Amino acid sequence: MTNCTLNRKVKKRSLHINFDGGDVSGIGGVELLRAADDRLGLCKAASRLLPDPRDRTAITHQWEALFRQRVYGIAAGFADLNDHQQLRHDAALQSAVGVMAPMGSAPTLCRMEAVASQLSSSEARTMVFQMHELILQQFIDSHDRPPKSLVLDFDGTDDRVFGGQEGRSYSSHYGGYAFLPLYVYCGNHLLVSYLRPVNRTDSYHSAAVLSLLVKGLRAHWPKVNIVFRGDAGFYRPLLLSWCERHDVRYIIGYRSNEVLLRECQTTVDTLENGWHWLDYHDVDLPSIKHFLNIDYQAGSWRRSRRIVAKLERNAIGANQRFIVTDLPGDAEQLYSQVYCERGTMENRHKELQMGLFADRTSCSAWWSNQLRVMFSSLAYVLWQSVRQIGLAGTTLAKAQVWTLRQRLINIGAVVLRNTRRIELRLSSASLEKSNFLLALQRLQAT
């Protein structure tokens, strides 16, 4: 069945539905992604890092076009390669990619992803490293002047898998087979997306990643103040020592122990008595808190360091949390405003994994899955550029990728093509016409 006649009528007119519209696209706004990509030169540079093993005399689809097709598809909300069996015929996406004929099929894109697994480990590692250098360079270029301070947020999150993927492991903590990718952000900017096995600690390879980031950032900004921020999973004595030797500040979660609990016991007892007094006098408060500075030296440390303790009593009971830091400032301000600010990373995780499908690691080979994570990361960089440059000062400047996609990409469009021009006639009923045109103009401005 290719058409349908509905039973109801509109103003005495019969209603017919079919798929004979021709070059009509549901993602007419995808040209916005191409404008961002042209400004950054991202896909063009990244595609050159993935070797093209094909016979040059038998090529139908250009390598860069296949690369753009995959990244733009993810950014536009199409996670699976199977989507491209029909999506390859979308005229708006073809125009954004830069072709006039059907694009690569699902098997063609699958073979492109498989190239990563055909490289040697050292070649694949070099490719991923160079793609991260591109992302870091985009971050550096996004600043008009050297920043005074940068806070690097490190976090690992689970990537559940359900097949026989290479490198998968069972995690009792997550209740299934998974990977444990490491993500590093600076504000809303993604800097690192590194696939790791789940049977390693959160801090696995984090010191090496931090070292490379510091080296890259200080090569451009020698005087920038860099702060490493992470939860207790990233605490390692050697990492603290490295930070101190290389003038990198840190604020890291620290697990409680008997010594720290003894130091806090008097304050904990005072909070407990205060809570009972409030309860007796029917004073309704969600919690009472106190913050302490503790000069503490663990057995593995060569010198003492500053521990900030958050001591809380609420309806559930006593709650003690600790961080180790060399940052100056008030204990409460450091914990509540500086350390807890890392919680905003969860929004970035959701965008990257749920909105841009970085957790769609269903390839059988390890390096092909890492390449998929990089595709999603490049899509994130494009969207961040749209937000930062194209939508600054608008109502969509802080919108997440779901909203941006719905408002700016998923626009119905009639695509008219002839020998002289391509015209995209977007829906007149689009909700964000002014923001779309403003973003497009800003991204195209030199």
Side-chain angles (χ1 to χ4, degrees):
M1 177 183 289
T2 59
N3 58 70
C4 178
T5 300
L6 301 185
N7 293 328
R8 70 184 188 90
K9 293 187 177 182
V10 179
K11 299 293 185 180
K12 297 182 180 181
R13 295 170 177 82
S14 60
L15 191 59
H16 302 267
I17 296 177
N18 59 55
F19 286 93
D20 299 329
D23 287 338
V24 180
S25 174
I27 52 171
V30 71
E31 193 63 35
L32 195 64
L33 297 172
R34 178 59 190 259
D37 191 18
D38 284 345
R39 186 182 184 94
L40 302 178
L42 195 62
C43 286
K44 182 176 183 179
S47 65
R48 294 175 178 174
L49 302 177
L50 181 65
D52 183 358
R54 300 175 299 171
D55 181 357
R56 294 292 188 274
T57 63
I59 289 178
T60 302
H61 306 288
Q62 295 300 315
W63 199 244
E64 184 181 327
L66 292 175
F67 204 94
R68 290 183 192 274
Q69 179 186 348
R70 188 69 172 114
V71 173
Y72 295 176
I74 290 172
F78 300 97
D80 295 321
L81 292 180
N82 290 339
D83 296 333
H84 288 268
Q85 282 300 100
Q86 291 298 323
L87 197 62
R88 64 196 292 255
H89 300 288
D90 188 283
L93 184 57
Q94 289 174 358
S95 299
V97 168
V99 300
M100 294 286 289
M103 297 174 289
S105 63
T108 299
L109 294 174
C110 183
R111 286 190 292 270
M112 180 182 67
E113 291 182 349
V115 169
S117 63
Q118 296 164 6
L119 302 175
S120 67
S121 293
S122 61
E123 290 173 333
R125 194 173 292 110
T126 299
M127 175 196 69
V128 172
F129 174 77
Q130 291 174 338
M131 285 190 181
H132 277 107
E133 283 187 318
L134 280 179
I135 293 176
L136 182 62
Q137 188 61 49
Q138 297 302 330
F139 169 71
I140 293 170
D141 292 343
S142 69
H143 291 77
D144 296 329
R145 60 181 64 89
K148 293 182 179 179
S149 180
L150 297 173
V151 179
L152 303 182
D153 283 310
F154 280 60
D155 197 27
T157 187
D158 64 305
D159 172 5
R160 299 290 296 275
V161 298
F162 302 94
Q165 289 93 327
E166 178 186 359
R168 70 167 191 156
S169 298
Y170 184 84
S171 169
S172 58
H173 177 73
Y174 295 115
Y177 287 91
F179 298 130
L180 186 68
L182 171 67
Y183 295 114
V184 182
Y185 303 92
C186 185
N188 292 330
H189 293 271
L190 174 68
L191 303 182
V192 174
S193 50
Y194 171 49
L195 197 64
R196 305 178 300 175
V198 78
N199 58 354
R200 305 298 177 92
T201 62
D202 278 352
S203 62
Y204 179 65
H205 284 173
S206 59
V209 171
L210 176 62
S211 175
L212 291 170
L213 285 174
V214 170
K215 181 180 179 181
L217 291 169
R218 288 206 167 132
H220 292 81
W221 302 316
K223 297 181 180 180
V224 67
N225 179 40
I226 298 176
V227 180
F228 174 86
R229 183 164 61 184
D231 62 20
F234 289 90
Y235 162 73
R236 289 293 182 274
L238 290 177
L239 181 60
L240 300 187
S241 299
W242 185 92
C243 289
E244 290 163 351
R245 290 196 310 272
H246 293 84
D247 193 26
V248 175
R249 297 299 183 99
Y250 55 83
I251 181 164
I252 307 172
Y254 192 78
R255 293 185 175 90
S256 65
N257 57 48
E258 293 181 0
V259 175
L260 291 175
L261 292 177
R262 278 200 306 270
E263 288 282 342
C264 301
Q265 192 57 52
T266 300
T267 305
V268 170
D269 293 340
T270 302
L271 291 175
E272 187 69 25
N273 293 333
W275 182 262
H276 288 302
W277 185 91
L278 294 171
D279 186 49
Y280 179 80
H281 290 86
D282 291 327
V283 178
D284 187 19
L285 286 177
S287 66
I288 51 176
K289 302 176 186 177
H290 187 73
F291 295 85
L292 283 180
N293 284 308
I294 303 173
D295 189 39
Y296 173 76
Q297 182 173 356
S300 59
W301 297 355
R302 294 184 177 180
R303 64 176 185 82
S304 62
R305 292 186 172 98
R306 180 187 185 186
I307 297 289
V308 173
K310 184 198 79 167
L311 310 175
E312 180 181 18
R313 179 60 165 91
N314 54 35
I316 299 176
N319 179 31
Q320 294 93 32
R321 303 285 178 177
F322 303 92
I323 58 173
V324 56
T325 183
D326 64 348
L327 291 173
D330 175 71
E332 181 176 0
Q333 180 261 338
L334 283 176
Y335 191 96
S336 300
Q337 298 179 26
V338 180
Y339 179 71
C340 289
E341 181 64 22
R342 65 179 301 276
T344 60
M345 275 193 303
E346 295 301 325
N347 291 327
R348 309 287 80 76
H349 287 340
K350 286 189 290 185
E351 283 192 297
L352 193 56
Q353 289 199 319
M354 299 173 64
L356 296 171
F357 321 110
D359 60 350
R360 199 63 65 94
T361 48
S362 54
C363 295
S364 59
W366 175 269
W367 289 110
S368 293
N369 282 322
Q370 173 66 79
L371 180 59
R372 283 193 170 189
V373 174
M374 293 310 303
F375 283 147
S376 297
S377 302
L378 295 173
Y380 182 96
V381 173
L382 291 181
W383 272 125
Q384 179 58 25
S385 176
V386 171
R387 277 189 292 221
Q388 182 178 358
I389 301 172
L391 298 171
T394 71
T395 55
L396 296 177
K398 296 183 179 180
Q400 293 190 325
V401 293
W402 299 278
T403 302
L404 295 174
R405 197 154 52 208
Q406 182 185 41
R407 297 300 184 97
L408 301 177
I409 301 297
N410 298 338
I411 304 173
V414 175
V415 184
L416 303 177
R417 299 189 287 194
N418 57 40
T419 56
R420 297 181 59 189
R421 62 183 294 186
I422 299 173
E423 183 178 359
L424 276 71
R425 295 184 177 180
L426 304 186
S427 171
S428 301
S430 175
L431 300 179
E432 298 289 346
K433 285 181 276 190
S434 58
N435 282 336
F436 178 88
L437 293 173
L438 176 63
L440 198 59
Q441 291 168 358
R442 286 177 172 177
L443 290 168
Q444 290 188 114
T446 56

